[in-house]
Amino acid sequence: MAPMGIRLSPLGVAVFCLLGLGVIYHLYAGVISSRIAAFTSKRTVNLRDLLALSVEAAVQGGREVKRVREEDKLEEKTKGKTMEGQSEKLTQGDLNSHRKMYYLIKNTYPYVQVNSEEHDETNNELAVWNRDIPADILKSVEGGRDVPADSITIWIDPLDATQEYTAWALVGHGSNMKARTTYNMNPPKVIVSRSHAGRVKGFIEEAFGNTTVILPAGGAGYKVLALLDPLDEDIEKADMYIHVTFIKKWDICAGNALLTALGGHMTTLKGEEIDYSGAAGNREGLLASVKVDHQDLVAKLPAWDSAGKH
């Protein structure tokens, strides 16, 4: 799936938007340095506007993915391998979606930092946001909040994925998703990455017992949706999400913000908040849950280090 993240500082308010056709958009915002930053930069961004812009950018990016798929012009290439040794694919859908999302944001807020998984030297996208704010966002988010532009970082991961769904959330204001009413921990269903399901099996069973149900799946965004009350009944339900190897921040930032908005948690395997500043990778694994005692789950996990050994 494909996240885009916006960060104001390591802690604070999370803003998030997750839009269909395999495009995930996420905005992650904090407030620790807002007042200090305001003195150093008069440029500000309204979080409600940024959320609405993200929805529109994701829609435009999704249309490109759909168009390329329907025209059968994927032009698939291999751009490298994951740490698990699997090929990372790049299609024309990835690039076109990246261009639509990246330049719509940069043309609207040229002074905001935007990081994308894909890189492209094309600079001929002239798209300009029409400043329309969807009705559900207007209803849930009154007025928004202005924050310093130089405290925002945006992460984008356009991906030609097969899952189609729509979700957004702004911590403290609302979401069009909701948590399920019940979760089972005796034993739990744990969703994991398909690429290393065998490797994580022993880790999970040591923590929660050998009757634990392990659900391998693709897409970090899909795994987060499996913890919620799904818009799509085809999404299998899980009680927690565990990942024990290196993962890119653009893969997880969207789900992190959505869970936070719904009262859930996504942390490292040591129970620490994931820092969305700096390098693109998270090497500390992750545990995601909602409506359960998250720190109690952390306490049950076996010892683990960043080399993936436990």
Side-chain angles (χ1 to χ4, degrees):
M1 317 308 285
M4 164 213 143
I6 295 179
R7 187 192 68 83
L8 281 143
S9 65
L11 302 173
V13 179
V15 189
F16 155 82
C17 157
L18 180 53
L19 246 288
L21 297 170
V23 179
I24 302 175
Y25 244 4
H26 153 267
L27 308 112
Y28 197 88
V31 296
I32 288 179
S33 60
S34 293
R35 292 189 177 183
I36 296 174
F39 288 105
T40 60
S41 173
K42 294 183 179 179
R43 292 169 172 162
T44 61
V45 175
N46 182 278
L47 289 181
R48 186 178 70 176
D49 288 352
L50 195 52
L51 179 60
L53 169 63
S54 300
V55 171
E56 178 57 28
V59 168
Q60 291 191 21
R63 286 173 181 159
E64 282 302 303
V65 171
K66 183 179 180 182
R67 183 183 64 79
V68 169
R69 173 72 70 180
E70 289 177 344
E71 294 177 1
D72 197 21
K73 295 180 179 179
L74 293 180
E75 300 179 27
E76 185 178 279
K77 303 175 183 177
T78 298
K79 61 180 181 179
K81 289 185 179 296
T82 67
M83 293 189 71
E84 288 81 24
Q86 297 195 359
S87 295
E88 287 193 292
K89 303 297 185 181
L90 174 68
T91 70
Q92 195 60 43
D94 292 302
L95 287 177
N96 289 0
S97 180
H98 155 81
R99 291 167 185 159
K100 288 293 184 182
M101 293 189 286
Y102 180 90
Y103 288 108
L104 182 63
I105 295 168
K106 288 298 287 185
N107 291 344
T108 305
Y109 297 119
Y111 37 83
V112 167
Q113 177 67 36
V114 182
N115 300 327
S116 177
E117 180 184 21
E118 312 303 347
H119 301 281
D120 176 56
E121 299 302 320
T122 302
N123 191 15
N124 58 0
E125 287 286 342
L126 302 178
V128 177
W129 182 41
N130 60 15
R131 302 217 167 248
D132 286 346
I133 299 178
D136 57 342
I137 294 178
L138 282 174
K139 181 179 179 180
S140 299
V141 185
E142 295 184 4
R145 181 167 62 88
D146 291 336
V147 298
D150 61 3
S151 62
I152 295 175
T153 302
I154 300 177
W155 298 85
I156 300 178
D157 177 13
L159 180 65
D160 187 3
T162 56
Q163 299 299 327
E164 298 183 15
Y165 53 85
T166 302
W168 65 262
L170 175 58
V171 172
H173 291 271
S175 173
N176 66 347
M177 296 290 291
K178 60 182 180 180
R180 302 201 307 269
T181 55
T182 60
Y183 293 84
N184 181 27
M185 294 292 135
N186 294 301
K189 288 185 178 180
V190 183
I191 195 163
V192 302
S193 291
R194 185 183 295 120
S195 61
H196 69 283
R199 190 181 316 180
V200 75
K201 182 175 185 290
F203 180 87
I204 291 173
E205 290 183 348
E206 185 175 343
F208 305 108
N210 58 15
T211 60
T212 301
V213 179
I214 298 175
L215 306 172
Y222 176 92
K223 297 184 192 75
V224 169
L225 292 186
L227 306 183
L228 305 177
D229 191 2
L231 298 172
D232 184 347
E233 291 300 325
D234 291 333
I235 295 176
E236 191 158 13
K237 294 179 181 179
D239 301 302
M240 72 180 80
Y241 166 27
I242 289 179
H243 190 91
V244 298
T245 62
F246 176 91
I247 192 169
K248 295 292 182 65
K249 291 175 183 176
W250 45 61
D251 289 325
I252 60 175
C253 55
N256 193 336
L258 179 55
L259 288 174
T260 302
L262 297 176
H265 302 275
M266 180 185 288
T267 67
T268 69
L269 294 176
K270 297 177 181 178
E272 300 167 346
E273 295 296 326
I274 298 170
D275 182 2
Y276 287 95
S277 62
N282 169 45
R283 297 180 179 275
E284 305 302 320
L286 72 83
L287 170 67
S289 70
V290 61
K291 282 198 171 182
V292 297
D293 187 333
H294 188 81
Q295 290 304 318
D296 181 61
L297 298 181
V298 171
K300 292 179 180 178
L301 298 179
W304 182 90
D305 60 36
S306 59
K309 299 175 182 178
H310 59 275

